[in-house]
Amino acid sequence: QVQLVESGGGLVQAGGSLRLSCAASGRTFSSSGVGWFRQAPGKDREFVAAIGWSGASTRYANSVKGRFTISRDNAKNTAYLQMDSLKPEDTAVYYCAADATGWARVAVAGYDYWGQGTQVTVSS
């Protein structure tokens, strides 16, 4: 059982940076994979980044590769998404999710637990 709460969203100018945090409660977080997804108005929820339980395995959507970095600190029960060089098309609600298998999954269906989301708005 894992509960997730995202924070760190906000309004930034194009080219700026934000760091999102995903705070988890639950004894199984350290063995869970974590994913970040985003959903823009009128669009499906899409994969952004994922990290395996140990942090050794990471995966990124092509649209954010080289700009975003996913990380985790199991001692703090927290995962992060560092977003640099933000673009207006990055505007969306960002969600973190936990996967009980511990794998860095890319599919929405692969995740067991979801946070409520945090809004990221990038202005031009």
Side-chain angles (χ1 to χ4, degrees):
Q1 65 286 2
V2 178
Q3 293 182 323
L4 307 170
V5 179
E6 302 94 336
S7 63
L11 174 64
V12 298
Q13 294 181 327
S17 297
L18 284 173
R19 188 186 73 161
L20 306 184
S21 297
C22 177
S25 62
R27 302 267 75 83
T28 60
F29 176 79
S30 62
S31 61
S32 298
V34 174
W36 285 97
F37 294 78
R38 66 188 182 188
Q39 188 165 22
K43 294 191 174 184
D44 292 334
R45 192 168 298 188
E46 68 173 352
F47 170 75
V48 176
I51 188 167
W53 71 271
S54 71
S57 179
T58 58
R59 304 185 74 174
Y60 297 93
N62 289 336
S63 59
V64 307
K65 191 173 184 179
R67 299 189 297 121
F68 292 9
T69 303
I70 188 170
S71 61
R72 67 189 297 162
D73 186 339
N74 286 345
K76 297 180 179 179
N77 270 14
T78 303
Y80 305 94
L81 184 68
Q82 177 67 43
M83 305 186 295
D84 298 320
S85 301
L86 283 161
K87 304 175 181 180
E89 51 262 46
D90 295 318
T91 295
V93 176
Y94 283 70
Y95 300 88
C96 66
D99 159 33
T101 71
W103 301 336
R105 297 182 181 274
V106 302
V108 168
Y111 287 87
D112 303 292
Y113 307 101
W114 292 83
Q116 294 300 305
T118 186
Q119 177 71 49
V120 171
T121 303
V122 184
S123 66
S124 59

